[in-house]
Amino acid sequence: MKRLSDELGVDLWIKRDDCTGLSTGGNKTRKLEFLMAEALEQGADMVMTQGATQTNHGRQTAAAAAKLGLACHLLLEDRTGYDEANYNTNGNVLLDHLHGATTQKFPAGHDMPGEMERAAEKKRAKGHNVYVIPGGGSNATGALGYVNCAFELLGQFNDASLKVDRIVHATGSSGTQAGLVAGMCAMNAQIPVLGIGTRAPQPKQEQMVYDLACKTAEKLGCPGVVQREHVMANTDYVGEGYGLPTGSGIEAIRMFAELEGILLDPCYSAKGAAGLIDLARKGEFKGERVVFLHTGGAAALGGYDFAFDSSDRWVTL
Ligand SMILES: Cc1ncc(COP(=O)(O)O)c(C=O)c1O
């Protein structure tokens, strides 16, 4: 990212997992490659998952289900309390419905995994074979998608003779970072992976990633390769809470859009990029080559139009 690198004085590169293909792309597509294969193996005719109203994971699950001819049901938790029409019907929600998924809404703080089990039982009683995917697709099966991403990155660095000092990305339900860390450790790559938090406080976020990275390494056939010190999360950029845009996130969205022509989302990739930008400005990456893993999410932008003031873009000549 030449213009952003010049702006921040750090050699910044980007891995475009916002271009993974299904329904505008994003990080869940890699997880769904493995999760949907398991669903098909188990003879499922329906998949079910849960997340926030503007869940990118839900939208990509709906798209993957459409491609494979499976039904899809999404349980959406109102984690932000926004009653703006676009937040509730546009962005990812619009795309969920375009892909044929059915949706159900729940208040914040609801027991979503429990609710999902109850919903799956109801569908099973009606004869469906339901495959339940945890929120964010974050279990050891889904995280294998990011082991694959780690292998792919190492191959690309190698092919381009690129020495990379660090990988930075937004972390949430933990599967992306867990898979990357497990993959890097399995290959003894020793490239630090820094997750920028979007919800949980640091100790909880790191513990979640570590636990899942260990399980993923085990599933991969490399038990014990992940050590606690391989897991690093910085949660200084969450702001007031999950899904609530921050000033630094909005600035990151504008910088990526105006300097690189790349779109971020306010909930995840903007907070990840806000961390990247702030740490770069503070000199934390001095002399380093850093890869920002773009995890996608721009499909949510249409649901967050109220977070942007573009009045100065309308001009009279
Ligand atoms: C755009 C985007 N980036 C990052 C993440 C976080 O990834 P993970 O849940 O694997 O930690 C998500 C999760 O929903 C996401 O939608």
Side-chain angles (χ1 to χ4, degrees), residues 15 17 27 30-31 33-34 139-155 167 174-187 189 193 212-222 225-226 293:
K15 173 70 170 167
D17 269 15
N27 60 341
R30 287 189 189 271
K31 299 182 185 182
E33 256 189 275
F34 289 85
N139 58 17
T141 302
L144 287 177
Y146 271 88
V147 170
N148 247 1
C149 181
F151 294 172
E152 188 176 299
L153 279 167
L154 293 173
I167 296 167
S174 83
T176 300
Q177 191 173 4
L180 282 175
V181 168
M184 290 293 171
C185 289
M187 298 290 275
V193 178
L212 184 53
C214 291
K215 284 185 199 147
T216 308
E218 224 168 90
K219 195 171 178 84
L220 193 62
C222 311
V225 290
V226 178
L293 172 70

Side-chain angles (χ1 to χ4, degrees), residues 26 64 77 82 93 96 108 122 156 173 179 203 232 293 299-300 306 315:
E77 181 187 2
Y82 285 140
V93 181
D96 296 342
K122 279 188 195 166
Q156 289 178 317
S173 67
M232 283 163 290
L293 172 70
F306 54 87
V315 298

